[in-house]
């Protein structure tokens, strides 16, 4: 693959799956070291870090091997020699269209079907496994949807933009975005600001880690007219939501809402049409008129509750 990919996919960058590499740790490093030291967490913290530059990765890797006396470990050295193929520090510039890892989608489908089926299954057995699997995915979707619609907002900052993020994103994505907003407030600060043109500002944002050590300095280009912002960490391009550096700038500029061009539709609370959740779309529903009407009433009530969700007055009216 290493030889074939660049010949066929000339515009692509071939990347090895980090999850699979890290999964090999226990078979490559003695259990004694893994169980009795914090090597495992140190190494994970280092390799998954998307914010550090390649040179920082290299010096930290060498420090790490030295700390644990692993300088001569042949597998770790082999992995280090191909670091440009798997460590995110070397892929910081790459747009990933909201997917953090290219293989994760098909890999997780493979894994999901493997749980219930084997290659020895007949076609009928496979179809039954398939339906089972889809059912359980639908169930998980409903649980997530319930969490999103029933969770109340608990802010960790006094910023209006945090509330706006809560109002637009699903529960799971909001948790990620909220982290960025909080870290933008507590672990980022602005060190320099220049004004290359009337409407745009170049702002340097210093990024601190949990122990308040400076990790990197990023540059945010901010448009004072339409509040658009791009950051040299390229978090938005890579993952699909704004980074702490942009939120840090937004705090300074009193921007209270995430501009619409930075909100991916797939991550909105209302990404799925309401009909998907309606009772009549489920299996084995009674087709007789009274039953259909009962279900319709329940769907309508649910929809009203959803609309009123966090508005106390509206909910009180609904109760009346
Ligand atoms: Zn950034």
């Amino acid at each position: 693959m290493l030889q074939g990919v660049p010949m066929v996919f000339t515009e692509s960058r071939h990347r090895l799956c980090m999850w699979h590499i890290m999964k090999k740790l226990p078979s490559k490093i003695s259990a004694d070291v893994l169980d009795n030291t914090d090597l495992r967490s140190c190494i994970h913290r280092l390799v998954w870090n998307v914010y550090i530059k390649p040179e920082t990765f290299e010096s930290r890797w060498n420090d790490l091997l030295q700390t644990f006396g692993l300088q001569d470990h042949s597998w770790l050295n082999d992995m280090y020699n191909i670091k440009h193929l798997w460590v995110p520090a070397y892929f910081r510039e790459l747009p990933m269209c909201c997917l953090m890892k290219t293989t994760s989608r098909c890999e997780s489908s493979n894994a999901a079907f493997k749980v219930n089926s084997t290659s020895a299954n007949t076609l009928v057995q496979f179809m039954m496994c398939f339906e089972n699997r889809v059912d359980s995915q639908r169930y998980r979707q409903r649980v997530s949807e319930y969490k999103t619609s029933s969770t109340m907002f608990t802010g960790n900052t006094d910023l209006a933009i945090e509330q706006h993020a809560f109002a637009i994103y699903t529960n799971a994505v909001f948790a990620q975005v909220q982290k960025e907003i909080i870290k933008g407030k507590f672990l980022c600060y602005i060190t320099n600001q220049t004004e290359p043109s009337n409407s745009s500002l170049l702002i340097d944002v210093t990024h601190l880690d949990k122990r308040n050590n400076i990790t990197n300095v990023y540059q945010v280009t901010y448009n004072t007219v339409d509040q658009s912002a791009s950051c040299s960490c390229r978090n938005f391009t890579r993952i699909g939501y704004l980074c702490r550096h942009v939120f840090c700038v937004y705090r300074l500029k009193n921007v209270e809402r995430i501009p619409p061009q930075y909100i991916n539709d797939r991550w909105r609370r209302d990404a799925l049409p309401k009909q998907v959740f309606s009772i009549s779309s489920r299996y084995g529903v009674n087709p007789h008129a009274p039953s259909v009407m009962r279900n319709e009433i329940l769907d309508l009530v649910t929809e009203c509750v959803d609309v009123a969700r966090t508005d106390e007055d509206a909910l009180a009216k609904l109760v009346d």
Side-chain angles (χ1 to χ4, degrees):
M1 280 175 75
L2 208 55
Q3 290 170 18
V5 168
M7 286 158 74
V8 181
F9 302 106
T10 51
E11 303 286 309
S12 301
R13 270 185 72 188
H14 186 197
R15 183 171 175 175
L16 301 180
C17 175
M18 178 143 95
W19 183 81
H20 279 105
I21 292 177
M22 282 295 108
K23 211 177 123 187
K24 284 185 185 159
L25 263 189
S27 65
K28 301 292 181 182
I29 292 177
S30 82
D32 186 39
V33 177
L34 277 186
D35 294 344
N36 300 315
T37 67
D38 56 354
L39 171 69
R40 192 196 300 260
S41 64
C42 287
I43 212 163
H44 275 275
R45 260 208 312 275
L46 175 60
V47 298
W48 288 98
N49 194 333
V50 294
Y51 292 109
I52 51 175
K53 295 176 185 162
E55 41 292 15
T56 315
F57 169 78
E58 285 157 26
S59 76
R60 287 193 191 171
W61 176 274
N62 287 324
D63 291 350
L64 192 136
L65 294 201
Q66 224 153 41
T67 311
F68 293 94
L70 294 165
Q71 299 96 313
D72 299 322
H73 194 283
S74 65
W75 181 75
L76 287 174
N77 286 328
D78 287 348
M79 290 305 107
Y80 181 75
N81 289 333
I82 54 164
K83 55 192 179 296
H84 59 286
L85 290 173
W86 63 281
V87 176
Y90 297 85
F91 293 92
R92 295 187 314 130
E93 306 301 314
L94 223 59
M96 296 294 281
C97 313
C98 308
L99 288 171
M100 292 199 235
K101 294 143 243 139
T102 48
T103 56
S104 55
R105 264 191 78 136
C106 69
E107 293 280 0
S108 74
S109 306
N110 288 348
F113 286 112
K114 262 186 208 160
V115 174
N116 292 321
S117 59
T118 75
S119 54
N121 281 164
T122 63
L123 192 56
V124 173
Q125 282 168 325
F126 172 74
M127 281 315 293
M128 286 164 76
C129 294
F130 180 86
E131 300 233 303
N132 229 324
R133 191 64 223 168
V134 172
D135 257 1
S136 82
Q137 288 207 8
R138 286 196 178 127
Y139 170 72
R140 276 162 55 198
Q141 169 74 50
R142 280 201 296 276
V143 171
S144 304
E145 179 70 18
Y146 174 73
K147 270 192 198 149
T148 295
S149 61
S150 64
T151 305
M152 296 300 281
F153 175 69
T154 42
N156 283 304
T157 68
D158 48 4
L159 302 170
I161 206 163
E162 189 184 4
Q163 208 148 2
H164 181 233
F166 177 79
I168 49 178
Y169 287 122
T170 64
N171 197 40
V173 176
F174 171 67
Q176 301 300 318
V177 177
Q178 188 180 35
K179 249 187 242 170
E180 293 301 314
I181 294 173
I182 294 169
K183 288 181 174 172
K185 180 169 179 184
F186 297 111
L187 293 173
C188 290
Y189 60 90
I190 286 164
T191 33
N192 191 31
Q193 183 172 318
T194 53
E195 198 170 347
S197 77
N198 265 348
S199 59
S200 82
L201 293 175
L202 287 179
I203 302 167
D204 289 340
V205 179
T206 300
H207 173 130
L208 304 173
D209 66 15
K210 274 187 210 145
R211 285 172 226 93
N212 282 323
N213 298 317
I214 294 178
T215 306
N216 214 330
V217 177
Y218 292 103
Q219 192 167 65
V220 175
T221 313
Y222 175 69
N223 184 310
T224 50
V225 178
D226 64 2
Q227 276 135 25
S228 62
S230 64
C231 177
S232 58
C233 83
R234 295 175 65 84
N235 190 80
F236 179 73
T237 317
R238 216 174 39 240
I239 301 172
Y241 49 77
L242 290 175
C243 61
R244 57 196 76 178
H245 321 111
V246 170
F247 284 121
C248 176
V249 170
Y250 278 175
R251 183 163 68 93
L252 179 82
K253 300 295 173 195
N254 297 316
V255 177
E256 298 192 332
R257 295 173 75 81
I258 299 172
Q261 67 269 34
Y262 301 124
I263 307 166
N264 267 302
D265 283 345
R266 62 188 298 182
W267 284 342
R268 283 176 178 273
R269 280 173 175 266
D270 47 10
L272 287 178
K274 285 279 170 270
Q275 303 89 284
V276 171
F277 301 101
S278 86
I279 299 168
S280 55
S281 312
R282 291 182 204 165
Y283 283 128
V285 174
N286 184 345
H288 294 107
S291 168
V292 170
M293 283 160 83
R294 271 203 307 274
N295 289 341
E296 208 179 319
I297 294 169
L298 289 175
D299 284 342
L300 286 170
V301 171
T302 310
E303 211 179 312
C304 292
V305 174
D306 273 355
V307 170
R309 196 160 33 213
T310 51
D311 182 340
E312 212 178 315
D313 289 341
L315 287 170
K317 274 182 198 152
L318 202 54
V319 172
D320 280 348

